[in-house]
Amino acid sequence: MFLWESIAFGPIHSRRLGSSLGINVSPTDVKICSFDCIYCECGWTLEKDITATHFVSADIVIQAIEQKLQKCREDNTHIDSITFSGNGEPTLHPQFGEIIDRLIVIRDKYYPHAEITCLSNATKLQNADVRAALLKIDNPMLKLDAGLPELYTLINRPTIPITMADTVKGIRAFQGNFIMQSMFLKGEIDGVKFDNTSEENVSAWLKVLEELKPRKVVLYSLDRETPAKQLVKVYKADLEKVAARVRALGIEAQVFE
């Protein structure tokens, strides 16, 4: 499995975001996340302690980002998106709101046309400060990989006390001002076979989408090594069938294989 070794990395080519400068506000030596997703490229969530002692300060984060942006500007490096991803869930950082505010200032200085994106698993949206920070950026990309609570638990394996209903409630507060990202896959985990492209799950997931009304939905499947070994990629033709049903609700959908 793979962990990012720096705070600011890339830019890398992203299937979804183009030339993306990555921002990792999680520790560089361990994955810190409120999920333990069976497909995560960073591996299993071995560290269950998500307290502030693990994180570097906002000052250090912003200094690293500004140095990287300055270097990219000097090298005439194109950047489409400045993207929070990295070794876990970005919104767990105790100074996440401050980091967002300060990043907006230096983004406007060096790359005013670059969008700010955050890939979030939506588990900290009950926190008003986290919601406010995400609403300041261009692309809050919030994860929902299932329409059925039992699949939410099986695929995402929360490491904190949170349910699918809690997650949906948190996303509802965005009033549609977000992008939903959804991973589709099938296979077996702990002896349990599953398929979140099943009609039962997709129908339930579409009902949630109809309620939340995201401005766009991004559908994708496996592209990298996964910690669980009995997983099966869903290919573009099947993803497009799901996307067509999303579009029928009047919601934009993009498929990435």
Side-chain angles (χ1 to χ4, degrees), residues 109-151:
K109 177 180 178 181
Y110 295 104
Y111 280 89
H113 300 297
E115 296 186 336
I116 298 176
T117 303
C118 182
L119 309 182
S120 174
N121 64 20
T123 57
K124 296 295 290 182
L125 301 185
Q126 286 73 25
N127 184 316
D129 291 339
V130 169
R131 290 199 309 273
L134 288 172
L135 284 167
K136 293 175 182 177
I137 67 173
D138 304 279
N139 300 315
M141 295 186 71
L142 308 178
K143 178 195 296 291
L144 188 65
D145 293 332
L148 300 172
E150 57 267 31
L151 275 182

Side-chain angles (χ1 to χ4, degrees), residues 172-191:
R172 190 181 297 125
F174 282 70
Q175 299 182 326
N177 187 19
F178 72 100
I179 298 169
M180 179 174 286
Q181 54 170 347
S182 297
M183 163 72 78
F184 285 90
L185 72 168
K186 59 184 77 174
E188 183 176 327
I189 184 73
D190 297 332

Side-chain angles (χ1 to χ4, degrees), residues 195-248:
D195 179 359
N196 70 342
T197 66
S198 69
E199 179 57 36
E200 182 183 16
N201 181 69
V202 170
S203 293
W205 177 78
L206 287 167
K207 286 182 181 178
V208 176
L209 259 62
E210 195 168 14
E211 174 196 350
L212 297 177
K213 296 180 173 59
R215 67 175 191 251
K216 182 165 70 174
V217 177
V218 172
L219 302 90
Y220 61 111
S221 192
L222 304 174
D223 188 51
R224 299 179 176 92
E225 184 182 358
T226 61
K229 299 307 177 189
Q230 293 180 287
L231 305 182
V232 179
K233 180 183 178 75
V234 174
Y235 288 94
K236 189 172 183 179
D238 289 326
L239 291 174
E240 285 290 358
K241 292 176 184 177
V242 178
R245 297 174 69 176
V246 174
R247 296 179 189 118

Side-chain angles (χ1 to χ4, degrees), residues 66 69-70 73 103-112:
E66 183 159 22
L69 286 174
Q70 187 174 28
R73 178 71 177 271
L103 172 60
I104 290 170
V105 173
I106 60 175
R107 182 276 307 268
D108 292 348
K109 177 180 178 181
Y110 295 104
Y111 280 89

Side-chain angles (χ1 to χ4, degrees), residues 66-77 111:
E66 183 159 22
Q67 287 175 349
K68 185 69 171 180
L69 286 174
Q70 187 174 28
K71 182 66 164 59
C72 287
R73 178 71 177 271
E74 290 171 355
D75 294 341
N76 292 317
T77 301
Y111 280 89

